[in-house]
Amino acid sequence: MTDLAHPEPVAVGGSSDLPPNPPQRALRLHRELARVWANDRGWWGQVTAVSHTTLGLRFMATAFVFFAIGGILSMLIRTQLATHQGAFLDTELYNQIFTMHGSIMMFLFAIPMLEGLGIWLLPKLLGTRDMAFPRLTALGYWCYLFGGLIMLGALLFGVAPRDGWFMYTPLSDATHSPGINADVWLLGVTFVEISAIAAAVEITVTILRQRAPGMKLTEMPLFAWYMLGTAAMMLVGFPPLIAGSVLLEVERAFDWPFFDVARGGDPLLWQHLFWLFGHPEVYIIFLPAAGAMSTIIPVMCRTPILGYGAIVAAILGLVFLSFGLWVHHMFTVGIPHMALAFFSAASVLVAVPTAVQVFAWIGTMWKGRPELHLPMLHILGFFLTFVMGGLTGVMLAIVPFNWQAHDTAFVTAHLHYVLIGGFVFPMMAAATYWMPLITGKARVKGLGEAAFCVILIGFHGTFFIMHLTGLLGMPRRIDVYPDNPEWVALNLTSSIFGFVLTIGFAMFAVDLILQATLGQRARRDPWRAPTLDWAMPVPSPNYNFASLPLRRHQGGPAREVIHALARGVGALPGAPRGRREVLVTTAGNARPCHVAVLPGNTALPLVLSACIAVFVLLMLASLYALAAVALAPVAGLVWVWARGMAPVGDLAPVTIAPGVDMPVHHRATPPTLAQSGLHALLVADGALFASLLFGLGFLSVVTQGPPPPPALVQNPAAGIALVIGLAAVAGAAVFARLLAAGYAGRGASWAGLGCNLVALVALAWLAVQLDDPRAHARDALRAAMLGYVGLHVLVGAAMAAFTADQFRRGEIAPQTGRGAIAAWGNWQMFTAVTAGITVAVVLVQAGAP
Amino acid sequence: MTGRALIWVAPLALAACAGPLSTLDPGGHIARDIALLWWVMLAGAGVITAFVLVLLGFAWGAPRRTAQGRWVYGLGLWFPLAVLTALLGVGLWVGERILPRDDGAVTVHAHAFQWGWQFTHDGADGQPVESDGVLHIPAGQPVDILVSSQDVIHSFWVPRLGGKMDAIPGRVNRLRVQTDGAGRFDGLCAEFCGLGHAGMRFVVVAHDDWPPADPDTDPDTGPDTTPETDTNGQEFP
């Protein structure tokens, strides 16, 4: 056995490349790979599937079903508004329906759809066989499905959320929204967002660490750049929403007054947290769609994209700018004009990177020879729609006009121009473009073009005049307008065309079904594309590539490398060791690092998400003690999950190309995929922590509520608990780092476990002495931050115990690898830093010297 | 020919923009400034949309030599930067023009609750006069409205007089309005506030005489309802 040090990464950047493998029989390779990468048979195979192809498609199909449900709800809204008396729905039901329309379209259609596209497409585009964390893909899907079903169930039972999709408090608090309606939103959406965080983590890691050998970051397909930007925004953008939802749910359930004015809270804190998520959300939705555009337009125009570097810069600019303009949803809350001017400037500035992309796309069309295939029609639909939506967006960024148009039908029109123009049309282009790869069938001509025309007419007929309806004063979210006959004709027109739009979408769905069922066999690479997603048979096999594309296989016409890859000429051919192997490369130049062995089919993700669903349902039923008990199986299953990462089987180095041996990931030099994933997760965790800090700062600086009662810091016992707790957390971090750096052995894991347990006791002692969190928002937020630190210490203790257990099992040894040591070290450092910051902030806030 | 068409089209277009809640039918200079801003932006947006669609139309055909810098930097970067900078400047200028300032303007209170409005202005004797659902203001001079809320977030909006201002629990927001002359202006709650949101309307009456001698008998206004006792003499937070 060799020692742990692994061979120097092979230089394949620049002109050098991995040597090709000798060609083999393609059919034998296919059978070998198909057996290893296949789902289990029958319906059980759907339960245990972890394949990115299966789950990506399932994400997209489920999202499309939710799109249909949201569309039906929108038809109910349009029916209600068609006349001014609206004697169709009562107000309570109408409020539930428009709230659910928005929530479904945002959280159950758009986000899962783009996650599904990324999960399905990225490994194919980047030249690998699966996402970095297949079980996490499946967990994300089940959480999405169960969360969505909980929300739909609430709608069926008439207890759906009814406070608008941005859930402004105090309207959504326990006083003004009794019943479980608001809880359904807060718990259901947070449950669904597990899938968003999971997708963001694995998309980030897959793009950075699993590109085909030699595919430099600066040369990777633009779609990957777009998804990298999207994933980064999701990692930072979703935590404020999760933080806000948890705080609001805690306020509703336990009366902790984070947002209650009478007790020092502030309803504007919710708005800030919501829109800190809500505006980046718009770009989270737009970027993947723009990525599809940047992929499809050059193929349709038979030319490379114009301005690759400028587009990458525009993506980075959008990611950065989109976090600086959330306040433009809050121009009317009474913020000083000069502060508004800053956000107004940021809001119009964001139009610049968008313009760069739009003109790069049109320039690409000038440069090439556009061909009017069906995907190109939908791309024209994008231009005809999105440009106007962008321009009304600029108008809304201008403060005085926003004061008039805000919360009117003008905004409704604008956001549908942006979301349908900027997301749905590109997604339809993407669907028609990639259908041959999904189904292996060519399309049935005719219906698709008709569907496009009906959709385009229906859309503009519905929403173009809605701008005027809004300027004539019609606010959002009203169900009747008996005193305003001047709005009737406009609304009736919108309603009629709304039904046309729905018919168009139905035709589109029928077209896809016809293609999947009646279409003739598609040729390989029907679009003559230059990207690796088409360098495989249609429909795509579960393993994507029989051998991973080398540098020489990248960037050229896909059809010229299909056979070479199928015959095993690329890296890591076949599955001779009977396990799912992918190549892990460096983030910048994609030099091979090691071979990762991915987990196979398992029902664990389904069981874990079902346990989380039980917890959510118990919370909804206000059975809080039982809900706490229900977390025990969740914790147990997470342990089982982690055990699934233990080294088993043959750990010998793998030959990926003639003369190039790579270690398997258990014995590789860090960072492995799992460690990169933990880094990404900690980014999101840090954003969650920052959201809580933002809340603390906002309440003490901006909010002018009643002064809080005297605080605990004067209490010496609390001070002692604080010092002991902090010292124990720091001690755990030191032991974990000593272990990770190789200066300590198994004793360090036990010592770290002890430190964490001491810290837990100290924190519990502190919690007992804490001021009543129901008394004042400040005390509630301090208690929430204590809970945050406590949860991290608890997880740290579990990781220390896991590491100690790995020592006991002999899994941490020179010949087997380092187990969970690196992960535990990172977690413990993060915990110590956040605990230290928390204590420092609370002390400063309390006026300590 | 064009002139005759204009004679027919212009009144139709104006009529289409009229309405008791229309932002395009301004009843004061603040709303007029914003409406003008809208028409300018609409014209600009129309030109830009047409320009982009023409570029798109000319994209069909044989490949052409295409200068990357001209498209990506010229059209993508400098063109929007120039337009947006100008627009931002105009927007800021209009915004500053219509802001409340310390010029001794008449101050009235608008207190929102689920689901209605309670308004207060100073009477002739200096005592506050309350009115439910009808806001009395002086005509033709700047008026600052102090907007507050009893329960959830509402939003005070009189489209013909200017922008909206949210009524947020725990806060008092200031909004300036000004009418051209005496008259009635419809207003509504613009922020979704629950079951009664759609019916949360009110009326603003601008009086030439200020304070109005007896607003309750104003023929335009109709009889005023008696303020509810529990909100009578409410201290605004």
Side-chain angles (χ1 to χ4, degrees):
Chain A
M1 281 292 163
T2 55
D3 65 4
L4 274 177
H6 87 109
E8 278 298 300
V10 181
V12 286
S15 54
S16 60
D17 196 355
L18 285 176
N21 280 300
Q24 309 177 38
R25 281 191 57 213
L27 190 60
R28 193 189 63 75
L29 274 181
H30 166 71
R31 286 191 179 136
E32 178 179 294
L33 280 153
R35 183 173 49 77
V36 170
W37 288 85
N39 296 336
D40 294 336
R41 285 172 181 278
W43 64 270
W44 183 247
Q46 288 299 312
V47 170
T48 59
V50 293
S51 152
H52 82 99
T53 300
T54 307
L55 287 162
L57 291 178
R58 210 194 292 161
F59 256 107
M60 289 193 276
T62 311
F64 196 83
V65 170
F66 278 112
F67 180 68
I69 295 169
I72 291 168
L73 295 182
S74 75
M75 288 303 94
L76 298 180
I77 296 172
R78 283 310 334 161
T79 307
Q80 170 80 4
L81 293 178
T83 62
H84 57 302
Q85 292 294 359
F88 175 61
L89 302 166
D90 69 11
T91 307
E92 163 75 26
L93 198 52
Y94 180 79
N95 292 351
Q96 290 190 18
I97 285 174
F98 77 68
T99 302
M100 284 298 285
H101 168 71
S103 305
I104 286 177
M105 289 305 194
M106 281 289 173
F107 298 108
L108 304 180
F109 161 62
I111 298 283
M113 179 62 90
L114 68 89
E115 289 163 10
L117 180 65
I119 288 169
W120 177 79
L121 182 57
L122 278 172
K124 302 183 197 323
L125 207 53
L126 298 174
T128 185
R129 290 180 177 137
D130 206 331
M131 297 294 284
F133 310 112
R135 296 185 299 174
L136 199 60
T137 319
L139 178 74
Y141 176 77
W142 295 116
C143 287
Y144 158 50
L145 182 69
F146 291 151
L149 288 179
I150 287 173
M151 294 179 73
L152 273 192
L155 186 62
L156 288 181
F157 289 106
V159 289
R162 58 188 163 195
D163 306 316
W165 82 272
F166 31 81
M167 291 292 288
Y168 277 0
T169 184
L171 185 62
S172 57
D173 72 11
T175 312
H176 300 97
S177 189
I180 67 164
N181 307 56
D183 303 312
V184 168
W185 193 97
L186 295 168
L187 292 165
V189 166
T190 305
F191 190 15
V192 172
E193 290 337 322
I194 293 176
S195 72
I197 297 291
V201 166
E202 63 173 348
I203 285 171
T204 308
V205 175
T206 305
I207 294 173
L208 290 180
R209 303 300 311 281
Q210 276 179 248
R211 299 193 310 280
M215 184 190 281
K216 290 181 184 176
L217 196 63
T218 48
E219 293 170 3
M220 69 178 176
L222 274 174
F223 183 81
W225 271 111
Y226 278 100
M227 286 309 297
L228 189 59
T230 305
M233 290 169 78
M234 289 168 81
L235 288 177
V236 183
F238 273 98
L241 175 71
I242 293 171
S245 300
V246 170
L247 295 187
L248 186 51
E249 181 56 31
V250 169
E251 173 174 305
R252 287 178 56 87
F254 307 118
D255 196 27
W256 293 19
F258 303 106
F259 309 106
D260 179 8
V261 174
R263 287 177 285 169
D266 194 337
L268 284 192
L269 175 58
W270 168 264
Q271 295 196 13
H272 280 289
L273 289 175
F274 185 88
W275 290 117
L276 260 170
F277 146 80
H279 202 85
E281 154 92 346
V282 176
Y283 296 94
I284 288 170
I285 291 173
F286 172 65
L287 282 188
M293 305 263 304
S294 290
T295 309
I296 298 171
I297 290 177
V299 177
M300 293 288 139
C301 299
R302 323 283 350 139
T303 180
I305 188 104
L306 182 84
Y308 177 99
I311 291 179
V312 172
I315 296 167
L316 299 178
L318 270 177
V319 170
F320 181 75
L321 283 174
S322 70
F323 283 98
L325 37 80
W326 79 95
V327 172
H328 81 216
H329 298 268
M330 302 169 62
F331 277 173
T332 64
V333 302
I335 294 171
H337 190 234
M338 271 307 118
L340 295 187
F342 169 79
F343 289 102
S344 176
S347 305
V348 298
L349 205 56
V350 85
V352 172
T354 314
V356 168
Q357 295 169 69
V358 166
F359 287 112
W361 292 329
I362 299 180
T364 305
M365 292 172 63
W366 278 58
K367 185 158 72 82
R369 182 193 293 277
E371 295 172 2
L372 200 57
H373 302 292
L374 185 56
M376 200 62 193
L377 271 183
H378 287 293
I379 284 169
L380 288 183
F382 160 87
F383 282 112
L384 291 172
T385 310
F386 182 78
V387 170
M388 282 189 256
L391 290 168
T392 52
V394 170
M395 294 178 188
L396 285 170
I398 302 301
V399 177
F401 180 71
N402 183 289
W403 285 338
Q404 279 286 30
H406 178 67
D407 267 333
T408 67
F410 187 94
V411 172
T412 315
H414 157 73
L415 71 92
H416 283 88
Y417 264 80
V418 173
L419 291 177
I420 294 186
F423 184 71
V424 177
F425 273 114
M427 281 299 124
M428 292 193 292
T432 49
Y433 178 79
W434 276 295
M435 267 306 264
L437 191 57
I438 295 171
T439 61
K441 304 285 183 67
R443 56 180 294 264
V444 181
K445 289 200 168 49
L447 186 56
E449 285 81 357
F452 165 76
C453 293
V454 175
I455 290 171
L456 192 70
I457 293 167
F459 174 80
H460 287 276
T462 307
F463 291 105
F464 189 74
I465 55 165
M466 205 179 274
H467 294 108
L468 181 60
T469 318
L471 292 175
L472 292 186
M474 182 163 170
R476 296 167 81 172
R477 300 170 173 185
I478 59 170
D479 56 337
V480 289
Y481 44 100
D483 303 324
N484 297 90
E486 76 272 20
W487 299 341
V488 173
L490 295 170
N491 273 300
L492 186 60
T493 310
S494 286
S495 295
I496 291 169
F497 278 101
F499 281 90
V500 174
L501 179 60
T502 306
I503 291 168
F505 283 128
M507 291 165 69
F508 179 82
V510 169
D511 185 41
L512 292 193
I513 293 169
L514 281 183
Q515 177 170 359
T517 52
L518 301 180
Q520 297 189 319
R521 277 187 62 115
R523 287 174 292 129
R524 289 178 177 186
D525 185 23
W527 308 109
R528 292 173 292 145
T531 43
L532 289 171
D533 47 338
W534 293 103
M536 60 181 72
V538 294
S540 62
N542 257 16
Y543 56 83
N544 291 338
F545 300 98
S547 61
L548 303 181
L550 308 179
R551 194 169 163 76
R552 73 193 64 192
H553 299 131
Q554 301 162 17
R559 57 180 52 190
E560 290 176 14
V561 298
I562 291 179
H563 294 290
L565 294 179
R567 298 180 67 194
V569 171
L572 203 59
R577 288 158 293 276
R579 59 191 186 190
R580 301 185 179 187
E581 292 173 341
V582 294
L583 188 61
V584 178
T585 52
T586 58
N589 288 332
R591 283 194 300 272
C593 295
H594 57 261
V595 170
V597 182
L598 299 183
N601 301 325
T602 166
L604 187 58
L606 172 66
V607 178
L608 177 54
S609 59
C611 287
I612 302 174
V614 169
F615 167 75
V616 169
L617 289 172
L618 288 171
M619 285 293 290
L620 271 181
S622 301
L623 301 170
Y624 302 122
L626 270 182
V629 174
L631 285 177
V634 173
L637 287 171
V638 172
W639 183 286
V640 173
W641 188 291
R643 287 297 315 153
M645 295 157 77
V648 283
D650 179 13
L651 300 179
V654 172
T655 304
I656 62 167
V660 185
D661 289 353
M662 288 286 149
V664 293
H665 72 273
H666 301 104
R667 305 183 54 212
T669 313
T672 58
L673 292 180
Q675 285 149 15
S676 295
L678 181 64
H679 293 156
L681 182 66
L682 288 180
V683 169
D685 200 355
L688 187 71
F689 181 70
S691 305
L692 291 177
L693 282 183
F694 173 84
L696 209 58
F698 186 83
L699 286 187
S700 59
V701 175
V702 179
T703 306
Q704 291 159 352
L712 75 132
V713 186
Q714 282 84 343
N715 180 348
I720 294 169
L722 201 66
V723 170
I724 294 177
L726 205 54
V729 169
V734 168
F735 284 119
R737 294 304 297 177
L738 284 178
L739 184 56
Y743 294 123
R746 71 173 63 199
S749 61
W750 290 107
L753 177 60
C755 281
N756 277 316
L757 293 179
V758 170
L760 276 178
V761 172
L763 290 179
W765 187 23
L766 189 60
V768 174
Q769 299 171 67
L770 217 53
D771 299 299
D772 182 2
R774 286 168 302 184
H776 194 274
R778 182 205 63 185
D779 299 330
L781 255 178
R782 285 181 184 172
M785 299 196 71
L786 181 69
Y788 175 90
V789 173
L791 185 63
H792 282 73
V793 174
L794 194 61
V795 173
M799 292 175 87
F802 188 87
T803 310
D805 182 56
Q806 281 197 313
F807 273 115
R808 188 183 62 79
R809 292 168 185 267
E811 288 169 358
I812 298 176
Q815 62 274 24
T816 48
R818 305 281 289 160
I821 288 176
W824 177 46
N826 284 332
W827 183 269
Q828 211 68 61
M829 273 308 283
F830 181 86
T831 304
V833 169
T834 50
I837 293 175
T838 304
V839 171
V841 167
V842 170
L843 288 180
V844 166
Q845 195 195 26
Chain B
M1 185 63 206
T2 325
R4 193 179 300 168
L6 206 63
I7 291 171
W8 285 103
V9 171
L12 271 179
L14 282 180
C17 295
L21 289 168
S22 175
T23 62
L24 306 179
D25 185 11
H29 85 86
I30 292 171
R32 189 170 304 113
D33 281 2
I34 301 177
L36 188 62
L37 186 62
W38 152 252
W39 290 117
V40 170
M41 290 195 299
L42 177 65
V47 170
I48 292 173
T49 306
F51 173 63
V52 172
L53 295 185
V54 165
L55 285 183
L56 200 59
F58 278 103
W60 302 88
R64 262 164 288 200
R65 290 174 59 88
T66 312
Q68 178 178 326
R70 192 174 299 163
W71 283 88
V72 173
Y73 299 108
L75 286 172
L77 188 64
W78 299 116
F79 167 59
L81 265 184
V83 172
L84 293 172
T85 307
L87 180 60
L88 195 64
V90 172
L92 280 179
W93 179 67
V94 172
E96 282 296 313
R97 261 170 66 90
I98 64 182
L99 276 188
R101 63 194 91 228
D102 289 329
D103 52 5
V106 171
T107 301
V108 296
H109 293 265
H111 193 60
F113 56 91
Q114 282 181 319
W115 288 275
W117 296 89
Q118 187 187 51
F119 300 108
T120 314
H121 67 270
D122 287 340
D125 52 358
Q127 292 298 311
V129 179
E130 294 188 353
S131 52
D132 275 11
V134 182
L135 170 61
H136 299 282
I137 59 168
Q141 66 182 78
V143 181
D144 280 357
I145 297 161
L146 297 182
V147 185
S148 57
S149 169
Q150 178 72 30
D151 35 46
V152 304
I153 298 174
H154 306 270
S155 191
F156 177 97
W157 190 32
V158 186
R160 295 188 57 212
L161 296 185
K164 51 185 75 68
M165 183 56 78
D166 289 355
I168 301 172
R171 280 184 163 71
V172 179
N173 284 330
R174 182 181 291 263
L175 174 72
R176 172 149 297 193
V177 298
Q178 183 170 355
T179 66
D180 289 334
R184 292 167 59 90
F185 303 89
D186 285 1
L188 50 80
C189 171
E191 181 63 60
F192 177 66
C193 58
L195 284 178
H197 172 57
M200 205 170 143
R201 300 291 183 91
F202 59 92
V203 174
V204 177
V205 181
H207 300 269
D208 280 327
D209 57 324
W210 188 259
D214 190 359
D216 293 357
T217 56
D218 187 314
D220 266 336
T221 318
D224 201 355
T225 46
T226 317
E228 290 168 34
T229 44
D230 60 334
T231 50
N232 213 348
Q234 166 85 33
E235 279 291 313
F236 289 98

